[in-house]
């Protein structure tokens, strides 16, 4: 090829679909794995749903609403890490999982019942399955990678043909060459290896692929000699390299893209040589033409995406619209939709262009497993993409035969399903043997199964009356349509300067009460600025009056019963109590009201008692929790038993117990007045990067936010009385570096979750029984926030159905955020949204009484404004008159009828044609007057 030859794809364009072409109303998962999260055959699409172990299945093509109908298949008891369709059988799907199993499924055609179980099971492996792929020329051979092991399976015999050796670390990718002779692997040890599995289990060639050991991927071109790898360089930039297996010591060519933490997925079409690079978590697709003869990776086009990319897959060439010159189609998986993105080469003539669509591999395998293993290299017969040569020969794999429907077993959804069925339709939380929802802990499936059997609905036969819309869609929260908005700029405090944005992860970064907010500053001396919320506006450019602590601030908290007292913890292991004047801080204060000493290491966090005045708990690097009597200024109680850093602590609503989450992976509940040792212990989050804990559901449950072993942020819900039995439910959210900070509203049972540096605030309503988590509309801000705190309930505008008000700390400003519920009859008090709330600003007990063993309950009061009638007592509105049926408007009319209706309408608008014209009524002159 001449190096100056013009590419036939030089004018190719990417066409984003119109919104009506989106496959919407899905819930995609965002779990971290080395898979692409979505795969496609010529007939079906399969993708990771937001529930661990559950896949969404839908047809690739459909008419009307059929295309948007998603059924759910419960495949595994843990996360589905990778999946792949057979290249010959559109309905044969292989899945790999963190439960260490590989399963093969025979999927039905659209509209039929999903399978009752896997057709074949391979494994278990020693660790979770990372990737898998069907052989490109043989039906019944599959490669899988789990940990350091890569196996080539004879699927029919359910035995490995060989295990590829020499990997010194986690295998990140294993992929067949297009002729099926070689296997290429990428590994966390940075090595790219080439294997001939039929010759020997050792690598025939290896070289260093990329300098960074983050997620590496591979894709073979149409020849055995060339392949493409993606990864990261030392600067953590995306890197793409083109390799020749004959000259394997260095790459033929390479290119560097942007800096992004998400893995770069190479989607390569071997027939055209087009390479689409899709980065997880990004908003852009890159398209290159791979030209090994030059060698070069020639840029073709770029495509900006409307949604964040969670996964991507290529549609097989046999399913492309070739008469429209569609040379590629990428399926983009986002959080709530699948977007088909088409790549077209503009041509004038509407005909089949052979130069754009060479013959492609057909769907009939070239040989059988034993023939291939004996050394056969026979290739799949190629077929023309010309529509005149269709239909193509079809093939049905004998690995998993289609189920023959029995005439005496009707396809009725109301029939009882066996308890082992993994099939879920519409609601993946019912009727399969895997944990019944994404809320089930992937780390402890065996301990959770029995505890949830009474609420999972497995093996039950719901009556037709129970199959209402709500039972099909699952329970929903009345707050699901909550709307979060940043209030007008007049209420902002702006021109903040010198904020300390490096407070420990155990701290919220700042704190607020109904009157004022305290924010640590970066300047030396541990300065804390105190701002009045009732005085919004632009702060002066001059220095603010501050509280001088003399050491770096680690945490701070307002006294809930004294809005003028602030507790500040420092790195010098001391707690300083400050008294802010009633009119606000107008000068620098250097002497605190009191100083509490006793800890021997830096303090992480401070928590005031929810009911008793002058009682404060603090945790420290000395692995102790101390409870202070602020009135006397002394330590009264000390709690022991932690083996590592204490990530968080929380008082129970009754104030009788204290819960902690620790870096040693344990949760503990103390009764401080009973003894220094924990009353209960249980397993906590697996990840060591941080965690938070809060009491929820009227003190019956504990909510923990943390990380799993793959650094995915997750929520864990525990029953407070049975901590040792593990979490009731686990909900995976996303991958981000910052810990989620939970703000819980006990009146509505809503929790708001966000992290420092995030732009999104998650909202969930919490239940003490299945399904445990009810998702509500999240709030997204235009830029990252540095902190996010919930204000007291009394600050809400009840007349506007504002159920929560928060403060959002930005780099240079402080903004109030309002969360409201859209209601039609806002003139009435929404008593279902605003139950009686606790008088949180009045103590129930004194410190002396609480330390002496007394308990109490907070006084409640109503938020109902004067003159407003509760909506529960409002008179019922008369039912609105129903509009005429849409059938009247949708009846098919003939062309003649349409013409007559149009003509009659025009005539009616212009008036009656038989009416006399205005000039007809004018009086003329006699003939003799013209003379």
């Amino acid at each position: 090829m001449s190096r100056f030859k013009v590419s036939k794809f030089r004018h190719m364009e990417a066409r984003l679909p119109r919104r009506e072409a989106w496959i919407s109303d899905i819930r995609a998962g965002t779990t971290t794995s080395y898979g692409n999260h979505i795969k496609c055959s010529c007939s079906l699409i399969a993708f990771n749903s937001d529930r661990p172990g559950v896949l969404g299945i839908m047809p690739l093509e459909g008419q009307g609403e059929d295309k948007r109908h998603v059924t759910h298949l419960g495949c595994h008891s843990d996360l589905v890490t990778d999946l792949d369709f057979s290249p010959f059988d559109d309905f044969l799907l292989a899945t790999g999982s963190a439960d260490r199993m590989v399963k093969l499924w025979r999927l039905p055609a659209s509209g039929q019942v999903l399978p009752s179980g896997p057709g074949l099971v391979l494994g278990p492996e020693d660790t979770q399955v990372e990737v898998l792929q069907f052989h490109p020329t043989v039906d019944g051979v599959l490669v899988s990678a789990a940990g350091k092991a890569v196996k080539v399976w004879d699927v029919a015999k359910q035995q490995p043909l060989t295990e590829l050796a020499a990997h010194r670390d986690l295998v990140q990718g294993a992929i067949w060459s297009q002729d099926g002779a070689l296997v290429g692997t990428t590994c966390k040890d940075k090595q790219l290896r080439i294997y001939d599995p039929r010759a020997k289990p050792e690598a025939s060639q290896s070289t260093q692929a990329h300098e960074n050991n983050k997620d590496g991927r591979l894709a073979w071109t149409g020849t055995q000699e060339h392949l493409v790898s993606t990864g990261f360089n030392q600067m953590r930039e995306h890197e793409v390299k083109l390799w020749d297996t004959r000259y394997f010591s260095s790459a033929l060519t390479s290119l560097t893209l942007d800096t992004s933490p998400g893995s770069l997925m190479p989607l390569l079409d071997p027939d055209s040589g087009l390479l689409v690079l899709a980065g997880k978590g990004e908003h852009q697709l890159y398209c290159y033409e791979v030209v090994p003869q030059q060698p070069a990776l020639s840029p073709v086009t770029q495509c900006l995406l409307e949604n964040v990319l969670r996964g991507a897959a290529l549609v097989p060439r046999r399913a492309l619209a070739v008469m429209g010159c569609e040379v590629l189609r990428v399926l983009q998986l986002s959080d709530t939709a699948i977007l088909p993105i088409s790549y077209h080469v503009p041509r004038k003539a509407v005909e089949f262009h052979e130069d754009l669509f060479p013959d492609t591999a057909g769907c009939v395998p070239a040989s059988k497993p034993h023939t291939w293993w004996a050394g056969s290299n026979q290739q799949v017969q190629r077929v023309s993409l010309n529509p005149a040569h269709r239909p193509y020969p079809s093939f049905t794999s004998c690995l998993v035969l289609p189920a023959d429907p029995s005439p005496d077993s009707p396809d009725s959804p109301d029939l009882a399903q066996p308890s082992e069925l993994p099939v879920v339709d519409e609601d993946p939380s019912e009727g399969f043997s895997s944990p019944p929802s994404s809320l089930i802990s992937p780390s402890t499936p065996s301990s959770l199964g029995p505890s949830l059997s009474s609420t999972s609905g497995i093996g039950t036969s719901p009556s037709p009356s129970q199959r209402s819309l709500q039972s099909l869609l699952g329970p929903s929260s009345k707050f699901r349509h909550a709307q979060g908005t940043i209030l007008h700029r007049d209420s902002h405090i702006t021109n903040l300067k010198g904020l300390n944005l490096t407070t420990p992860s155990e701290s919220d970064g700042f704190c607020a009460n109904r009157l004022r907010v305290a924010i640590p500053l970066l300047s030396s001396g541990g300065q804390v600025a105190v701002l009045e919320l009732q005085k919004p506006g632009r702060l002066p450019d001059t220095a603010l009056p501050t509280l001088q602590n003399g050491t770096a601030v680690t945490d701070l908290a307002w006294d809930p019963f004294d809005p003028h007292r602030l507790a500040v913890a420092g790195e010098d292991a001391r707690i300083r109590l400050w008294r802010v004047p009633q009119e606000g801080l107008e000068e620098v204060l250097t002497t605190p009201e009191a100083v509490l000493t006793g800890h021997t290491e830096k303090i992480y966090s401070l928590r005031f008692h929810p009911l008793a005045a002058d009682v404060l708990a603090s945790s420290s690097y000395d692995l102790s929790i101390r409870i202070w009597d602020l009135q006397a200024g002394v330590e009264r109680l000390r709690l022991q038993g932690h083996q590592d850093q204490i990530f968080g602590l929380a008082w129970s609503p009754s104030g009788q117990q204290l819960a902690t989450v620790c870096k040693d992976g344990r949760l503990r509940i103390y009764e401080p007045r009973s003894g220094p040792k924990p009353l209960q212990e249980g397993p906590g989050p697996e990840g060591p990067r941080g965690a938070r804990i809060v009491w929820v559901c009227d003190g019956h449950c504990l909510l923990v936010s943390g990380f799993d072993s793959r650094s995915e942020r997750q929520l864990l819900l525990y029953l407070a009385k049975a901590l040792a039995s593990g979490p009731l439910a686990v909900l995976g959210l996303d991958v981000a570096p910052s810990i989620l900070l939970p703000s819980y509203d006990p009146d509505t049972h809503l929790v708001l979750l966000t992290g420092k540096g995030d732009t999104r605030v998650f909202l969930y309503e919490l239940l003490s029984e299945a399904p445990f988590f009810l998702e509500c509309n999240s709030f997204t801000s235009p830029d990252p926030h540095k902190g996010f705190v919930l204000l007291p309930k009394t600050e809400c505008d009840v007349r506007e159905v504002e159920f929560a008000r928060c403060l959002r700390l930005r780099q240079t400003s402080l903004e109030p955020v309002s969360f409201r519920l859209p209601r039609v009859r806002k003139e009435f008090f929404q008593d279902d949204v605003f139950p009686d709330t606790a008088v949180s600003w009045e103590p129930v007990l004194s410190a002396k009484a609480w330390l002496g063993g007394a308990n109490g309950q907070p006084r409640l009061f109503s938020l109902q404004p004067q003159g407003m009638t509760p909506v529960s007592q409002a008179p019922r509105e008369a039912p609105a008159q129903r509009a005429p049926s849409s059938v009247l408007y949708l009846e098919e009319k003939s062309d003649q009828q349409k013409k007559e209706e149009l003509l009659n309408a025009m005539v009616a608008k212009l008036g009656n044609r038989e009416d006399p014209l205005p000039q007809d009524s004018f009086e003329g002159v006699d003939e003799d007057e013209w003379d």
Side-chain angles (χ1 to χ4, degrees):
M1 172 185 283
S2 169
R3 63 179 298 182
F4 300 108
K5 184 176 180 180
V6 177
S7 171
K8 57 191 172 188
F9 301 110
R10 64 189 183 279
H11 298 306
M12 188 177 74
E13 59 182 6
R15 298 179 182 176
L16 291 173
R18 293 177 297 177
R19 189 168 292 270
E20 54 265 28
W22 293 13
I23 304 172
S24 54
D25 299 328
I26 67 168
R27 300 283 296 279
T30 57
T31 55
T32 55
S33 72
Y34 294 114
N36 288 3
H37 302 313
I38 181 172
K39 286 294 175 69
C40 175
S41 70
C42 291
S43 302
L44 297 175
I45 301 172
F47 64 93
N48 285 83
S49 75
D50 61 341
R51 302 169 186 259
V54 179
L55 293 180
I57 309 293
M58 68 177 68
L60 175 63
E61 303 293 346
Q63 299 296 327
E65 292 300 321
D66 290 340
K67 187 173 182 179
R68 309 199 191 290
H69 179 69
V70 181
T71 54
H72 292 87
L73 178 67
C75 302
H76 294 270
S77 61
D78 207 335
L79 303 172
V80 177
T81 53
D82 199 14
L83 61 154
D84 192 32
F85 278 102
S86 167
F88 312 112
D89 190 335
D90 290 345
F91 301 94
L92 185 63
L93 176 69
T95 59
S97 170
D99 65 5
R100 305 180 296 150
M101 308 295 287
V102 175
K103 298 181 180 180
L104 270 71
W105 305 85
R106 165 67 60 186
L107 301 179
S110 177
Q112 299 181 11
V113 179
L114 287 173
S116 59
L120 285 172
V121 178
L122 309 178
E125 299 289 339
D126 294 333
T127 183
Q128 77 172 30
V129 178
E130 299 294 346
V131 291
L132 55 84
Q133 188 194 20
F134 278 106
H135 196 281
T137 67
V138 181
D139 178 46
V141 175
L142 180 140
V143 64
S144 68
K148 300 179 183 179
V150 178
K151 295 180 180 179
V152 178
W153 295 86
D154 185 335
V155 177
K157 296 181 179 179
Q158 297 176 265
Q159 294 179 352
L161 294 169
T162 185
E163 181 173 343
L164 308 182
H167 294 100
R168 297 191 296 269
D169 208 329
L170 178 68
V171 178
Q172 299 170 328
I175 188 167
W176 293 102
S177 61
Q178 294 299 320
D179 61 0
L182 303 177
V183 174
T185 67
T186 55
C187 184
K188 206 170 183 179
D189 62 7
K190 307 178 187 178
Q191 291 293 306
L192 169 59
R193 296 177 173 87
I194 304 297
Y195 291 86
D196 184 348
R198 296 175 294 182
K200 57 181 180 179
E202 292 79 20
S204 58
Q205 298 181 78
S206 66
T207 187
Q208 180 173 330
H210 300 274
E211 296 177 344
N212 198 308
N213 66 356
K214 288 188 69 177
D215 193 353
R217 303 293 182 95
L218 281 180
W220 287 86
T221 65
T223 66
Q224 189 186 93
E225 291 81 19
H226 298 98
L227 69 161
V228 173
S229 69
T230 63
F232 295 82
N233 59 18
Q234 277 188 327
M235 304 301 294
R236 299 185 179 180
E237 297 171 317
H238 280 149
E239 193 173 49
V240 186
K241 292 186 177 182
L242 177 63
W243 302 87
D244 190 328
T245 56
R246 298 164 297 185
Y247 312 100
F248 211 49
S249 58
S250 62
L252 294 178
T253 185
S254 65
L255 60 90
T256 301
L257 301 177
D258 54 354
T259 301
S260 176
S263 57
L264 192 64
M265 297 175 287
L267 308 176
L268 197 151
D269 176 29
D271 293 337
S272 62
L274 292 174
L275 171 67
V276 176
L277 299 172
K280 290 184 180 180
E282 295 191 7
H283 288 81
Q284 192 168 9
L285 293 178
Y286 300 91
C287 185
Y288 289 82
E289 185 178 5
V290 180
V291 188
Q293 293 83 355
Q294 292 189 8
L297 295 170
S298 303
V300 179
T301 184
Q302 294 183 17
C303 176
L304 294 177
L305 307 175
E306 295 185 38
N307 305 76
V308 176
L309 187 141
R310 301 300 182 191
L314 280 182
V315 173
R317 287 180 71 79
R318 288 181 282 116
L320 298 179
V322 294
M323 298 304 291
C325 294
E326 183 187 32
V327 293
L328 277 182
R329 191 189 308 166
V330 176
L331 297 180
Q332 178 208 348
L333 178 67
S334 66
D335 291 324
T336 58
I338 296 175
L339 284 70
I341 301 169
S342 295
Y343 288 82
H344 291 257
V345 175
R347 293 287 175 93
K348 292 182 179 180
V350 181
E351 59 184 23
F352 179 72
H353 297 274
E354 294 185 359
D355 60 325
L356 296 179
F357 302 102
D359 291 353
T360 189
C363 56
V364 178
S367 57
K368 296 183 178 180
H370 66 275
T371 307
W372 172 80
W373 185 248
S376 172
N377 287 321
Q378 188 174 355
Q379 296 300 299
V380 175
Q381 184 177 358
R382 303 182 76 81
V383 296
S384 172
L385 293 176
N386 192 333
H389 298 163
R390 297 179 184 177
Y392 305 123
S394 61
F395 175 81
T396 301
S397 174
C398 61
L399 296 173
V400 183
L401 294 176
D404 294 328
S406 175
D408 54 357
S409 60
D411 263 349
S412 172
D414 294 333
L415 294 179
Q417 299 286 346
S419 61
E420 71 273 15
L421 286 188
V423 181
V424 189
D425 190 7
E426 297 297 338
D427 184 1
S429 63
E430 298 180 0
F432 59 92
S433 62
S434 308
S437 74
S438 67
L439 311 175
I440 301 308
S441 169
S443 58
T444 57
S446 59
S447 64
L448 293 177
S451 66
L452 291 174
S453 60
S454 61
T455 60
S456 63
I458 296 176
T460 61
S461 177
S463 64
S465 62
Q466 293 173 324
R467 286 190 168 270
S468 61
L469 180 62
Q470 184 171 357
S471 65
L472 288 173
L473 300 178
S476 59
S477 171
K478 60 186 173 186
F479 298 97
R480 62 189 179 277
H481 299 305
Q483 298 173 351
T485 55
I486 299 174
L487 296 184
H488 192 269
R489 187 176 176 83
D490 290 347
S491 61
H492 298 186
I493 298 177
T494 60
N495 199 33
L496 288 175
K497 295 181 179 180
L499 301 184
N500 183 5
L501 304 178
T502 59
T503 52
S505 60
E506 293 80 15
S507 170
D508 290 346
F510 76 111
C511 64
N513 60 19
R514 59 186 177 86
L515 297 180
R516 47 182 65 98
V517 59
I519 306 175
L521 301 181
L522 191 60
S523 53
S524 61
Q527 299 184 44
V528 176
V530 178
L531 308 176
E532 299 294 316
L533 292 178
Q534 305 304 321
K535 299 178 181 178
R538 179 181 173 86
L539 296 176
D541 293 329
T542 56
L544 296 173
T546 58
L547 307 175
Q548 298 278 357
N549 289 275
T551 185
V553 174
T554 55
D555 198 18
L556 64 173
W558 289 104
D559 188 333
F561 311 119
D562 186 349
H564 308 292
R565 181 159 65 175
L566 178 70
V568 180
E571 288 190 349
D572 59 355
R574 296 183 178 186
I575 301 171
R576 293 168 175 82
L577 301 178
W578 296 90
R579 172 73 51 185
V580 179
Q582 290 192 1
E583 62 276 9
L585 193 62
E586 298 179 350
E587 60 181 1
V588 175
L589 298 183
T590 58
T591 305
E593 184 181 59
V595 178
L596 307 178
T597 59
H599 282 295
T600 58
E601 297 287 346
K602 181 171 68 173
I603 299 171
Y604 326 113
S605 48
L606 302 174
R607 296 293 183 270
F608 276 95
H609 195 281
L611 300 179
D614 300 317
V615 177
L616 177 70
S618 62
S619 62
S620 165
Y621 272 91
D622 60 15
L623 307 185
S624 71
I625 294 177
R626 307 188 186 216
I627 298 176
W628 306 84
D629 181 349
L630 302 187
Q631 190 171 14
V634 296
E635 172 192 332
R636 296 296 190 187
L637 301 170
R638 185 182 305 180
L639 307 181
Q640 308 283 354
H642 297 94
Q643 306 300 317
D644 208 329
Q645 178 183 352
I646 305 169
F647 283 145
L649 70 157
W651 289 100
S652 65
S654 65
Q656 300 178 34
Q657 295 181 330
L658 189 74
T660 67
V661 56
C662 183
K663 193 176 181 179
D664 61 10
R666 306 292 292 173
L667 301 182
R668 295 173 176 87
I669 293 180
Y670 292 85
E671 285 189 355
R673 296 173 295 183
S674 299
K677 297 299 181 182
L679 183 67
Q680 291 188 69
E681 287 194 34
E686 297 178 4
R689 297 175 57 182
R692 289 298 185 92
I693 190 168
V694 63
W695 293 79
V696 298
C697 301
D698 300 321
H700 299 298
C701 297
L702 283 166
L703 179 70
V704 178
S705 66
F707 296 88
D708 65 7
S709 58
R710 293 173 292 276
S711 296
E712 181 191 16
R713 297 197 293 192
Q714 60 177 195
L715 302 178
L716 302 93
L717 189 68
Y718 294 81
L719 190 63
K721 294 182 178 179
L723 209 58
S725 62
L728 287 174
V730 176
L731 178 65
L733 292 180
D734 58 3
V735 177
S738 59
I739 182 67
L740 286 169
L741 311 177
S743 300
Y744 180 69
D745 178 12
D747 297 338
T748 59
H749 302 292
L750 285 175
V751 63
L752 294 83
L753 300 131
T754 190
K756 298 176 184 177
D758 287 3
T759 58
R760 183 178 180 184
V761 180
F762 298 94
L763 272 78
Y764 287 93
E765 184 178 354
L766 303 179
L767 307 176
S768 57
E769 57 185 18
F772 303 107
F773 295 92
L774 299 180
E775 185 175 5
C776 307
N777 277 351
S778 59
F779 163 73
T780 302
S781 57
D783 57 344
H785 38 250
K786 312 305 177 183
F788 203 90
V789 299
L790 182 66
L791 290 176
K793 201 58 172 281
T794 52
E795 300 306 299
C796 296
D797 187 352
V798 175
R799 295 182 182 273
E800 293 297 324
V801 202
E802 181 186 23
F803 61 86
R805 180 170 294 192
C806 303
L807 287 179
R808 174 175 175 262
L809 181 64
R810 298 175 61 234
Q811 184 88 33
T812 59
S813 66
L814 187 71
E815 302 172 348
V817 180
S818 172
F819 290 88
R820 299 175 181 177
L821 201 60
R823 287 290 174 95
V824 176
R825 309 179 73 184
K826 292 168 62 174
E827 66 272 17
F828 295 99
F829 173 64
Q830 310 294 319
D831 50 350
D832 61 325
V833 177
F834 299 103
D836 291 350
T837 190
V839 181
S840 58
W841 57 91
E842 292 181 359
V844 178
L845 302 166
S846 65
K848 182 178 180 180
W850 181 82
L851 292 168
N855 296 314
Q857 292 294 327
R859 182 170 61 88
L860 301 179
F861 83 105
S862 174
L863 292 170
Q864 179 180 347
Q866 290 185 355
M868 288 190 75
T869 304
V871 72
S872 59
Q873 302 175 13
R876 290 184 174 273
E877 291 182 332
Q881 185 177 359
R882 294 187 61 183
S885 172
S886 60
V887 177
L888 298 177
Y889 301 106
L890 298 179
E891 288 181 346
E892 191 66 30
K893 296 182 175 66
S894 66
D895 291 342
Q896 185 62 31
Q897 289 176 316
K898 294 177 182 178
K899 290 180 180 178
E900 290 179 359
E901 289 183 1
L902 181 60
L903 184 60
N904 291 336
M906 294 173 63
V907 169
K909 192 173 184 65
L910 293 174
N912 193 338
R913 290 175 296 175
E914 297 179 0
D915 291 342
L917 296 174
Q919 57 265 34
D920 293 339
S921 61
F922 294 165
E923 293 185 1
V925 296
D926 293 334
E927 292 293 336
D928 55 358
E929 294 184 17
W930 288 103
D931 297 334

